[in-house]
Amino acid sequence: MNKNFWRQMVVLVVIVVFFNYLYLVMAPKQQEPATSISYSRFKAELERDNIEQLVFQGQGMSGRFREAVVIEPSGAVVEETGYLNFETVLPPVPDPELLPALERHDVEIEARQEEQPSPWTSALIYILPWLLIIGVWWFILKGMRNRQGPGGGLMGGFSKSGAKLYLQQRSPITFKDVAGLDEVKQELLEIVEYLRNPKKFARIGGKVPRGVLLVGPPGTGKTLVARAVAGEAEVPFFSISASQFIEMFVGVGASRVRDLFNTAKKSAPSIIFIDELDAVGRSRGTGLGGGNDEREQTLNQLLSEMDGFEPHEEVIVMSATNRPDVLDTALLRPGRFDRQVFLGRPDWRAREEILQVHTRRVPLAEDVDLRVIARATPGMCGADLENLVNEAALLAAREDAEQVAMIHFENAKDRVLLGAERKLVLTDQEKRITAFHEAGHALLAKLSPDADPVHKVSIIPRGRALGVTQQLPENDRYHYPRSYLMTRITVSLAGRAAEKATFGEYSTGAEQDLKEASELAEKMVCQWGMSDKVGPLTFDRGEEHPFLGRKLAISKTFSEQMTWIIDQEIEKIVKGAEEQADRLVAGHRKALDRLAEALLEEEVLDGPRIDAILTAAGISLPAEKPIAGDQPAVEG
Ligand code: ADP
Ligand code: MG
Ligand code: ZN
């Protein structure tokens, strides 16, 4: 019998017993409906010879009339049909006339003992609530134990059997499943070699790192790489997420670390993988939200376990984090996680490889060119690309298509980048405003040689935006020249400029544009030293808190005067860009109108179509410089 079966049985029994109990306690001894009458009424009925049967039970009497009796309402409902049964209570003073009267009227008499619940029932009534309370308590505990993983319970043995908690497996994933990341794989190959043949390393006297820390943004394949190392080395892989260490009870975290290391040592050579290390590995004593003793104990235990390896214990500790900056420095000391491996966002070649890996089992149509997709998805990480392939396959499936075609990828990309299409009913005027707004972005992006090429413009509402101008860089880029940034701000403001030029006023549609323009300008001044007055200084004006959505108060380290200058410089940049946008829009009215009209007509314009419209409007476009950003530029 497996555990589950018994658990279900127990639940069943508890439920059945519970309802029986309820029944026992609550349910009245159900007979036919009886009416309560007074003793004198009873006597009256007796005199009328209308009592057929009578049962004595303690102080109570119940019985049956010969004919149904309609009880006069004492404010209650009148029963038309009357009652055949009644109950009443004997008066405390003995009534010597009663028995003779009963006999005279030929009443059938029965006497019962006052009802005593059987000893069993009373025992049950007494015990059951306790049983229930204990049962519930037991289940809650059980639940906790399960959340900690089987065996890691409160009551005893959690340090003994805790090992089951860790996902021990021989990983089916190998380096073949990891695309790109060639340097990372190269670096980890050494560890694979060691795990495969530890003796060899020992003979040569080579020293292999004990701890490897994988560092990189979310979704870049850290977890994947760790599993691939285990798969390549063909050794057991003990994986746990650091947050699991400190989940429930005080003191468990540290003992879990101990367990984990002991178990891994027993099955050496093996790999321990602690995912999301920052959950326990944050610097001690500086915990935001109060110090966390539990976490610190766990961390201390982890540190001492990592120090405590004997040379012959062939266990590699791998770990992953996307916040290396918050890790306790003690973790990075030699002998611990002294080897750090960085996983960056993939460049387009790596993206193509990742797409190849994830489309292995997807039937692709002829027209699908993974390279084109890879180039059009700057800034996406492995997890995003996997998601993209998935979305495309879903879209194809929804259309009952046999194969996933390029159009599915294109739509999936828009979905992932911009959100799902929305069925919004816009008035004609709203549509016109949106069309001119987007045409403004597109026109200026086309006119500026520095800007990223325009991939497409659309006035189909998506996500939070009513329309979108999508610029995609040709190549991934790691530097942004000032001219590029200025152009970007100008293009951001162009939607607004076009609205103003056409309708004479601004609308709220440019909120996101303004935000982007101001933020970029602020960064140019405060972080990148791109303004004359402020010069090559950096200022922390407060970062937006990722969860609160507002800036955290920071201690200001610069003067009021500098604040004023910074504000001036930011304003200068944004105002300058605005003037430039206004000037360009005014100088190309005809082209703007043509673009907007085409947008209203066709809703979506791709790059070549835009070129055609602009050329027809008599504009000679600057030769496109392949400049690229790491992030796709999207103007709402
Ligand atoms: P991280 O742990 O860095 O947040 P994961 O390893 O969990 O990221 O990656 C999430 C998913 O993204 C993986 O399961 C994998 O399918 C995909 N992925 C990420 N990077 C790659 C890559 N380089 N090659 C193939 N797939 C990848
Ligand atoms: Mg991960
Ligand atoms: Zn806009």
Side-chain angles (χ1 to χ4, degrees):
M1 291 294 155
N2 65 22
K3 250 197 192 142
N4 250 343
F5 172 79
W6 285 114
R7 206 166 297 159
Q8 281 163 11
M9 281 307 284
V10 169
V11 172
L12 209 77
V13 168
V14 167
I15 289 174
V16 166
V17 167
F18 179 69
F19 279 104
N20 274 328
Y21 176 72
L22 273 190
Y23 181 75
L24 209 71
V25 174
M26 322 261 294
K29 307 280 159 316
Q30 251 326 319
Q31 298 145 344
E32 290 157 70
T35 180
S36 257
I37 56 174
S38 66
Y39 186 68
S40 32
R41 176 68 191 249
F42 159 74
K43 286 291 277 279
E45 291 296 329
L46 186 62
E47 289 311 314
R48 276 180 54 206
D49 202 12
N50 192 25
I51 304 289
E52 182 182 309
Q53 189 215 27
L54 194 63
V55 178
F56 289 94
Q57 191 167 37
Q59 276 303 107
M61 272 193 315
S62 57
R64 194 159 66 237
F65 299 123
R66 284 185 213 280
E67 267 168 42
V69 170
V70 177
I71 305 296
E72 248 86 286
S74 57
V77 189
V78 187
E79 278 288 339
E80 299 281 320
T81 46
Y83 287 92
L84 205 55
N85 292 289
F86 68 90
E87 49 191 37
T88 184
V89 180
L90 278 172
V93 279
D95 180 358
E97 284 163 35
L98 180 60
L99 260 177
L102 288 175
E103 269 166 12
R104 205 165 52 239
H105 291 284
D106 202 13
V107 178
E108 187 190 329
I109 302 172
E110 194 184 323
R112 285 190 203 148
Q113 293 235 303
E114 200 165 348
E115 191 165 287
Q116 284 283 344
S118 75
W120 255 108
T121 328
S122 46
L124 261 184
I125 289 176
Y126 185 71
I127 293 174
L128 249 169
W130 290 105
L131 275 184
L132 279 173
I133 290 171
I134 292 170
V136 166
W137 184 65
W138 182 70
F139 264 96
I140 291 174
L141 273 189
K142 193 106 183 137
M144 285 179 178
R145 216 175 303 178
N146 285 345
R147 235 172 301 149
Q148 294 167 32
L154 175 68
M155 326 293 281
F158 58 89
S159 49
K160 195 174 83 247
S161 51
K164 287 186 218 105
L165 164 68
Y166 319 109
L167 193 68
Q168 187 203 343
Q169 53 186 33
R170 300 211 173 225
S171 169
I173 292 173
T174 65
F175 279 162
K176 271 206 299 297
D177 301 295
V178 182
L181 300 176
D182 291 331
E183 298 95 2
V184 173
K185 284 193 254 184
Q186 193 58 42
E187 200 155 349
L188 293 175
L189 215 52
E190 187 186 338
I191 288 170
V192 172
E193 293 287 322
Y194 166 74
L195 286 170
R196 274 195 191 145
N197 197 349
K199 301 283 171 307
K200 193 177 92 189
F201 269 74
R203 270 204 308 277
I204 307 170
K207 200 165 175 313
V208 169
R210 277 290 175 199
V212 179
L213 182 61
L214 303 170
V215 178
T220 44
K222 299 182 293 295
T223 311
L224 185 75
V225 162
R227 298 179 63 193
V229 169
E232 286 286 327
E234 298 178 319
V235 297
F237 180 65
F238 297 88
S239 159
I240 188 173
S241 172
S243 55
Q244 280 173 280
F245 277 137
I246 44 176
E247 205 171 48
M248 231 48 246
F249 297 109
V250 178
V252 173
S255 80
R256 279 197 180 168
V257 173
R258 210 174 311 126
D259 281 357
L260 174 60
F261 277 76
N262 285 339
T263 324
K265 281 177 196 169
K266 267 184 222 139
S267 38
S270 61
I271 294 179
I272 293 175
F273 178 56
I274 304 172
D275 211 349
E276 321 287 349
L277 180 67
D278 41 296
V280 283
R282 275 168 194 272
S283 311
R284 284 164 290 184
T286 62
L288 252 176
N292 184 341
D293 270 353
E294 171 65 356
R295 192 178 57 71
E296 292 192 3
Q297 279 176 22
T298 309
L299 176 56
N300 287 337
Q301 185 67 33
L302 181 64
L303 292 173
S304 77
E305 288 290 345
M306 291 196 70
D307 288 339
F309 279 121
E310 304 289 332
H312 64 271
E313 285 166 338
E314 291 124 5
V315 179
I316 296 279
V317 186
M318 295 184 80
S319 194
T321 182
N322 43 31
R323 296 296 308 277
D325 51 316
V326 300
L327 289 187
D328 198 290
T329 44
L331 275 170
L332 308 176
R333 231 178 267 151
R336 293 169 184 162
F337 291 109
D338 45 2
R339 172 82 52 102
Q340 293 190 31
V341 179
F342 290 91
L343 288 80
R345 289 186 187 280
D347 60 12
W348 71 262
R349 280 180 200 85
R351 287 198 298 270
E352 187 180 348
E353 283 179 43
I354 294 174
L355 284 169
Q356 272 160 4
V357 167
H358 288 289
T359 50
R360 266 188 217 149
R361 276 176 220 93
V362 180
L364 294 181
E366 286 278 301
D367 68 337
V368 173
D369 187 344
L370 293 182
R371 175 160 303 184
V372 172
I373 303 171
R375 280 175 163 270
T377 47
M380 280 202 185
C381 64
D384 296 332
L385 292 168
E386 184 186 14
N387 185 23
L388 177 74
V389 171
N390 204 29
E391 285 280 339
L394 283 179
L395 286 178
R398 201 174 298 161
E399 291 174 10
D400 279 332
E402 294 279 305
Q403 292 173 317
V404 184
M406 202 64 173
I407 178 77
H408 300 129
F409 279 101
E410 185 66 22
N411 287 338
K413 196 182 75 194
D414 283 353
R415 248 187 108 104
V416 172
L417 280 181
L418 312 170
E421 258 180 47
R422 279 198 304 172
K423 293 270 169 289
L424 268 188
V425 186
L426 297 178
T427 64
D428 283 348
Q429 181 64 3
E430 282 167 326
K431 263 197 181 156
R432 277 186 73 76
I433 294 176
T434 310
F436 274 91
H437 179 107
E438 298 307 330
H441 285 311
L443 175 69
L444 259 68
K446 274 287 168 195
L447 289 174
S448 318
D450 283 328
D452 291 324
V454 180
H455 180 69
K456 78 173 169 196
V457 195
S458 123
I459 54 165
I460 299 172
R462 259 183 197 285
R464 282 173 54 203
L466 292 183
V468 86
T469 302
Q470 215 176 345
Q471 289 169 268
L472 288 178
E474 299 264 274
N475 281 302
D476 300 281
R477 132 182 302 284
Y478 304 98
H479 294 294
Y480 302 96
R482 188 177 192 279
S483 55
Y484 169 81
L485 295 172
M486 281 306 291
T487 304
R488 193 137 152 189
I489 296 177
T490 310
V491 173
S492 283
L493 297 174
R496 218 169 92 95
E499 282 183 40
K500 175 88 173 163
T502 315
F503 305 102
E505 62 175 354
Y506 298 120
S507 75
T508 53
E511 183 182 337
Q512 210 49 38
D513 297 337
L514 295 183
K515 192 159 175 249
E516 191 192 314
S518 318
E519 279 173 5
L520 256 186
E522 179 174 335
K523 279 194 183 155
M524 286 172 71
V525 175
C526 296
Q527 289 178 23
W528 300 325
M530 289 181 180
S531 82
D532 305 328
K533 283 233 185 81
V534 174
L537 298 173
T538 70
F539 300 95
D540 188 357
R541 304 235 299 179
E543 251 177 81
E544 198 154 280
H545 190 279
F547 304 120
L548 300 180
R550 59 183 154 83
K551 294 196 173 180
L552 284 180
I554 50 147
S555 54
K556 228 165 60 169
T557 52
F558 45 98
S559 66
E560 287 300 321
Q561 193 189 358
M562 191 44 102
T563 311
W564 190 78
I565 297 177
I566 289 173
D567 289 342
Q568 295 285 305
E569 289 295 283
I570 293 174
E571 190 185 322
K572 207 166 91 187
I573 289 179
V574 178
K575 283 264 173 68
E578 187 187 23
E579 272 165 33
Q580 169 80 348
D582 285 340
R583 187 153 8 98
L584 283 172
V585 165
H588 300 82
R589 280 283 346 172
K590 200 171 94 185
L592 180 75
D593 291 344
R594 292 274 176 85
L595 261 186
E597 298 302 337
L599 256 181
L600 278 170
E601 191 115 320
E602 298 164 43
E603 294 202 324
V604 183
L605 307 175
D606 60 8
R609 181 84 184 101
I610 298 171
D611 287 351
I613 295 168
L614 291 183
T615 318
I619 289 178
S620 57
L621 297 169
E624 241 151 42
K625 247 201 311 186
I627 292 191
D630 199 27
Q631 298 290 329
V634 171
E635 309 288 345

